[in-house]
Amino acid sequence: MATTRTAHTVWQGNLAQGQGTVTFDSSGIGEQQVSWPSRAEQANGKTSPEELIAAAHSSCFSMALSHGLTQAGNPPTQLTTQADVTFQPGTGITGIHLTVEGTVEGLDEAAFTAAAEDAKKNCPVSQALAGTEITLSAKLA
């Protein structure tokens, strides 16, 4: 069964001085402020499209890796994933780097790295972002 998740943004003003509010409709987790300076300069308590992509990618990748490891008979105890999305004004998103550290009993570093590479390739967010270079660092805790 397919699912659809929804968020919306209300933007006021021009790009440089304006600002917006992103509302997470499906989950009801609230609203976040967004602005050009929070995207291209310092966050200053506001989010950006790139931070939202990083949140989506880190959680999707973690789910995919957990599933792959479990299917292979090595369910993880814990996975900690960070996604760094690089944005260059005037160019756009220039890359995403995933860093994962896992606690997985009975698995060596090579097998963990292979499972992480597979998750990077096959998680739905990675596939949606296929036009962007995605790199990975993986290690066991």
Side-chain angles (χ1 to χ4, degrees):
M1 177 170 92
T3 59
T4 300
R5 299 294 182 251
T6 305
H8 76 273
T9 300
V10 176
W11 186 267
Q12 297 154 344
N14 65 28
L15 177 61
Q17 287 83 34
Q19 65 178 12
T21 303
V22 178
T23 302
F24 299 91
D25 299 313
S26 298
S27 64
I29 61 172
E31 300 176 341
Q32 292 295 317
Q33 299 299 306
V34 63
S35 69
W36 177 254
S38 70
R39 184 177 196 184
E41 299 165 15
Q42 294 298 315
N44 293 323
K46 297 179 181 175
T47 194
S48 68
E50 291 72 28
E51 184 178 37
L52 298 172
I53 289 170
H57 206 175
S58 67
S59 59
C60 182
F61 172 86
S62 294
M63 289 180 201
L65 180 54
S66 176
H67 180 67
L69 290 167
T70 301
Q71 293 294 99
N74 299 99
T77 302
Q78 180 171 307
L79 300 171
T80 302
T81 304
Q82 178 173 313
D84 296 307
V85 177
T86 302
F87 174 73
Q88 177 64 46
T91 301
I93 294 173
T94 59
I96 300 170
H97 184 73
L98 298 169
T99 304
V100 62
E101 182 173 283
T103 304
V104 186
E105 295 298 320
L107 201 63
D108 65 18
E109 200 80 34
F112 181 71
T113 298
E117 286 289 346
D118 186 66
K120 178 187 86 163
K121 176 181 160 191
N122 292 307
C123 99
V125 172
S126 288
Q127 291 176 348
L129 299 170
T132 301
E133 180 182 12
I134 301 170
T135 57
L136 173 69
S137 299
K139 69 176 185 173
L140 290 172

